[in-house]
Amino acid sequence: MSTENQATLKDLTSPGRPISRRNFISALGWTLAGAMLTPASACTPAAREPFFSISLAQWSLHRMLRSGELDNLAFPAYAREKFGIDAVEYVNQFFIDRAEDMDYLSELRTRAGDAGVSSQLIMCDLEGPLAHTDPDERRTAVENHYKWVDAAAYLGCHSIRVNAAGNGSRQAVADAAVQGLGALTEYAAGANINVLVENHGGWSSDGAWLAGVMEQVGHPRCGTLPDFGNFRISAEERYDRYRGVEELMPYARAVSAKSYDFDEEGNETTIDYPRMLRIIRDAGYTGHIGIEYEGSRLSETEGIRATKQLLINAEQAIGEED
């Protein structure tokens, strides 16, 4: 409404001032016309969509899953109903003997679909070191992952997450990682599945090392899953987490928002989330960021909610800075 129209209506309806029916209708008409001509965007600010989506890593609920309080098959619906999250990341440890059980995988896929939840990836452990310096050991590890590639494809995932683990010198393990990841990626590419390496201890927690391995593998299906934590190379050496995430983002197909504890304002006590999100946004990433709560002070459900809210708050904070 224009200032002129506001003044007209105010004058005509001021207490003690006579007003004719004709003048009142005329003024009201001008008022309504002004309102109709005012763009909606001038009245209601357009909502800004976040640059990423949120998923839930199953490890956030590992205590409930191990105790039997939560069944693996119920995980997708639980993520949607309990936290309002419609994308999940599985951990193979919670159905380790079911990778080739098609009845089980079919049930899991059906339940996820019924809940309106998308399956993003399977985090794979316990299948051998893909960067083992012994060729036979490495080959066995690669082949052990084949069944998880197939399971991921059947569930509708885009990736499996693996570990580039191996013992030896920096260069020896890097060479072995290139061989192991390259071989596994060739198999996964046939199923349209990505092989993503997480910084997960040892040399893989050295951002420059893992980025170098990615460059040497040089396959579009081989990428990274940067984790906000997990930058401990050894008991004596830790890598700078912000530098590490920045180095890994050019190859990222997923991101893990690790959290441990929160202060009174809801901020993570050891990780600067706005700083992390700026790094991720500036890398041009627009995919899912998976919540991975590993704390013990809060319950698993409380920790997941706190991490989700922190992601929302941090994204809004950096958006307001632009």
Side-chain angles (χ1 to χ4, degrees), residues 60 63 259-263 266 293-307:
S60 298
R63 292 193 293 272
S259 60
Y260 305 98
D261 202 2
F262 307 86
D263 62 22
Y293 172 66
E294 283 195 354
S296 57
R297 186 180 63 84
L298 298 179
S299 70
E300 290 179 319
T301 55
E302 291 171 332
I304 291 167
R305 290 194 185 97
T307 307

Side-chain angles (χ1 to χ4, degrees), residues 91-120:
V91 175
N92 73 336
Q93 295 182 45
F94 302 119
F95 56 121
I96 193 68
D97 58 345
R98 303 284 196 164
E100 297 173 295
D101 185 337
M102 298 311 296
D103 289 338
Y104 185 89
L105 294 178
S106 180
E107 179 68 15
L108 182 57
R109 185 173 70 174
T110 296
R111 292 205 190 187
D114 289 347
V117 172
S118 65
S119 299
Q120 296 293 303

